[in-house]
Amino acid sequence: MTGFGRGKLILCGEHAVVYGFPALALAVDRGTTVTLESRPGPTEAIDSPIDDPRLPEALRLVLPEGLGVRITTDLPIGRGMGSSGALAVALVRAAAARLGESLDADTLWQRALLVERVFHGNPSGLDHAVSAHGGLVRYRRPTGGLPPKLEPLPTPVWNLVVLDSGLAGDTKAMVAGVAARRPGIDAHLTAIGDLVVTAESLLHDARALGDLLLENHRLLQAIGVSTPALDDLVGIAVGAGAYGAKLAGAGGGGVVLALVDDPAPVLVAARARGIHAFSCRIA
Ligand code: MEV
């Protein structure tokens, strides 16, 4: 039995989304597949690119005993592209498929949240919601046990290039770091939330949206989650003609997304510096 979960990129609004502000995010044409095999003994990963000591606990939370778990992915792990959210969705879908159970969106979200909490501590729930839903969406963290508010948005015409810093970021630590810097950074979190509202009205104006992404990156710097390597990647993308670029995800490592008309010049500029870069489609 198999299950699949897509990866994601946050166009704007990460970290502020943890505190109830909206974020714009998209599912990407990459993801994680989980295959379950019956076998005697405890449930464990028998083939996995995810080398994380928290994986056994995550498996225990959503799978019964007596299963071997194979995981394959074409997402970079721990780079802000929702690898754990994609894993969470793939695990829950595979477990349901094994029982012949049909899953509604809220049940899938609630079960996958158990896995996300293992990896992320206090997740907004965005990653696995976008993974399960697909497309470009506006997301707002639910309150009081309500289902998440996820609004599908029209697919835009621009393209995206992802530039990988080659370093993993620890989402749990980055989210905890932002929490520890409050209330001193609250004005920046509010500014990110305001920027997201403006960005939604400019989705089809790539130039204006690109400027907002740069402003979002500056605000992410101000809340302490960017790194010199990520700032350099933003500079490389913009120097090669991107409309705008920003770190995507929790930061501290991970990827930069660049909004482009033509991916080629940004890909060439990145690769000339030995940076792993690829174009990404909304899926
Ligand atoms: C992680 O992909 C995005 C953060 O906003 C955390 C979260 O939403 O749970 C940093």
Side-chain angles (χ1 to χ4, degrees), residues 61-215:
L61 283 171
V62 288
L63 299 177
E65 288 296 275
L67 294 171
V69 184
R70 290 185 195 281
I71 302 169
T72 56
T73 189
D74 56 0
L75 289 169
I77 308 291
R79 302 287 218 287
M81 290 194 69
S83 56
S84 68
L87 172 68
V89 168
L91 281 170
V92 173
R93 282 183 170 155
R98 190 174 154 273
L99 299 174
E101 183 190 10
S102 72
L103 276 176
D104 62 65
D106 293 344
T107 307
L108 171 56
W109 188 84
Q110 295 290 357
R111 289 186 192 168
L113 181 63
L114 300 174
V115 175
E116 274 292 76
R117 283 200 178 120
V118 172
F119 291 107
H120 286 181
N122 176 27
S124 67
L126 178 151
D127 290 19
H128 68 280
V130 175
S131 169
H133 187 278
L136 173 66
V137 299
R138 180 198 331 123
Y139 177 87
R140 200 186 271 271
R141 182 177 197 166
T143 50
L146 294 171
K149 291 210 178 89
L150 198 140
E151 215 39 64
L153 300 170
T155 302
V157 292
W158 32 259
N159 290 302
L160 291 171
V161 172
V162 172
L163 299 92
D164 188 347
S165 70
L167 299 167
D170 181 338
T171 299
K172 196 170 187 168
M174 299 310 290
V175 170
V178 168
R181 288 188 282 279
R182 297 186 68 204
I185 57 163
D186 280 3
H188 299 315
L189 294 172
T190 303
I192 292 173
D194 291 346
L195 180 150
V196 169
V197 175
T198 309
E200 189 178 333
S201 68
L202 292 172
L203 281 175
H204 291 284
D205 182 345
R207 198 163 296 283
L209 185 60
D211 288 342
L212 283 180
L213 297 194
L214 289 168
E215 178 58 18

Side-chain angles (χ1 to χ4, degrees), residues 245-271:
K246 60 176 273 292
L247 77 84
V255 298
V256 157
L257 73 75
L259 186 69
V260 298
D261 178 22
D262 175 11
V266 177
L267 291 172
V268 168
R271 288 171 185 163

